Amino acid sequence: MNAPSEFVAPDITARKNTGLEHAADFTLPQPLERYSAEDHATWATLYRRQCALLPGRVCDEFLDGLAALDVDADRVPNFERLNEKLVAATGWRLIAVPGLIPDEVFFEHLANRRFPVTWWIREPHQLDYLQEPDVFHDLFGHVPLLMNPVFADYLQAYGQGGMKAKALGALPMLARLYWYTVEFGLIVTPNGLRIYGAGIVSSQSESVYCLESASPNRIGFDLERIMRTRYRIDTFQKSYFVIDSFAQLFDATAPDFTPIYTALKSQETIGAGDIVPEDRVLQVGDREGWSDSADA
Ligand SMILES: [Fe+2]
């Protein structure tokens, strides 16, 4: 995540998964015996860094979920142990996967309240960025909010919507919604702007940048606007979208998207850093440090 464009990722997925088989739905038993002392130390370092940084920056729901799950600070957590609390709280369950999985498999899992978590962890020299999700991103970044009933429902609805979007040829639009909410979302609270997106929460530098930098735009949540907005996969985001509450997010995404997809197909996409006249702008970014390379 957030790697500079010249960075070439090592083939870490293949290396970590050597000799492991997965089922047709891409799940496998979490291979606990494969974690080395170095892997656990990497988890502990990342966990300590983010926990020092996040209070006052991340939303309360995230910290509440992290505490309620009793996520291990010093070693890669055992998914089954976390499942005891997660299943009881919201009916979600973690499943171990080898890495990124096909869209339709991912959606099917989410629609059934199964959250795929990459089992392996990054190498020590990759603490600050990684091009593909690992267990720290997937578990630390995503799972605490699955303890929140409203967010838990939102993610299930996203999975259900994903299968439909694929059939309608609208996956890029839905992917943008996931990107700007689940991965890079900000939320307004009585105490100020807070982070809830997993891509931010699991990144030391973006946790600070997204809230404190003058560079990015911060724009009020608008479903159709987001569905038209391209994004950055190799740098910090040029724009962050801000929700007022998780209920707003759930309510806005509850209706059938089919007519929206139809309407948006004839409209042009919006660049990652662009502001449009209808935007409810909280901050116009000063664009410092923005890359000229193409948006995704
Ligand atoms: Fe993610």
Side-chain angles (χ1 to χ4, degrees), residues 256-278:
D256 180 10
F257 289 167
T258 308
I260 299 176
Y261 295 149
T262 306
L264 294 187
K265 267 183 187 161
S266 58
Q267 296 195 30
E268 298 220 350
T269 59
I270 300 169
D274 293 349
I275 300 272
V276 297
E278 303 76 39

Side-chain angles (χ1 to χ4, degrees), residues 60-200:
D60 290 344
E61 290 86 345
F62 178 90
L63 292 176
D64 292 347
L66 192 67
L69 278 166
D70 193 19
V71 174
D72 305 69
D74 55 356
R75 58 192 298 109
V76 180
N78 178 322
F79 299 174
E80 282 308 318
R81 196 185 64 75
L82 294 186
N83 277 338
E84 291 167 17
K85 291 179 171 130
L86 187 57
V87 171
T90 58
W92 275 81
R93 171 182 295 281
L94 309 185
I95 49 172
V97 294
L100 288 171
I101 60 177
D103 289 334
E104 61 274 21
V105 182
F106 181 63
F107 296 141
E108 175 78 25
H109 284 310
L110 295 189
N112 290 284
R113 292 196 173 232
R114 295 187 297 264
F115 192 76
V117 175
T118 300
W119 72 265
W120 52 264
I121 195 159
R122 68 195 73 183
E123 307 280 323
H125 63 276
Q126 296 173 308
L127 287 187
D128 293 319
Y129 50 73
L130 190 66
Q131 278 191 333
E132 50 186 331
D134 70 341
V135 66
F136 188 74
H137 169 81
D138 284 344
L139 203 165
F140 183 90
H142 284 282
V143 175
L145 277 186
L146 291 177
M147 293 288 278
N148 177 272
V150 180
F151 193 84
D153 287 349
Y154 172 65
L155 208 58
Q156 180 181 26
Y158 179 85
Q160 292 161 338
M163 296 195 264
K164 209 152 71 178
K166 192 169 168 69
L168 294 167
L171 268 190
M173 290 184 240
L174 195 70
R176 291 178 198 129
L177 176 64
Y178 189 87
W179 191 262
Y180 281 119
T181 61
V182 177
E183 294 291 0
F184 292 97
L186 299 180
I187 184 168
V188 173
T189 79
N191 299 316
L193 219 49
R194 293 289 185 270
I195 304 161
Y196 72 91
I200 307 175

Side-chain angles (χ1 to χ4, degrees), residues 167-235:
L168 294 167
L171 268 190
M173 290 184 240
L174 195 70
R176 291 178 198 129
L177 176 64
Y178 189 87
W179 191 262
Y180 281 119
T181 61
V182 177
E183 294 291 0
F184 292 97
L186 299 180
I187 184 168
V188 173
T189 79
N191 299 316
L193 219 49
R194 293 289 185 270
I195 304 161
Y196 72 91
I200 307 175
V201 163
S202 57
S203 161
Q204 183 181 42
S205 47
E206 196 151 5
S207 294
V208 176
Y209 175 89
C210 72
L211 294 175
E212 294 166 32
S213 173
S215 299
N217 303 317
R218 299 188 189 94
I219 304 168
F221 174 86
D222 180 305
L223 177 70
E224 296 185 24
R225 199 282 194 207
I226 288 176
M227 284 186 169
R228 293 171 59 199
T229 310
R230 299 193 300 274
Y231 53 82
R232 305 299 307 181
I233 56 169
D234 57 347
T235 62

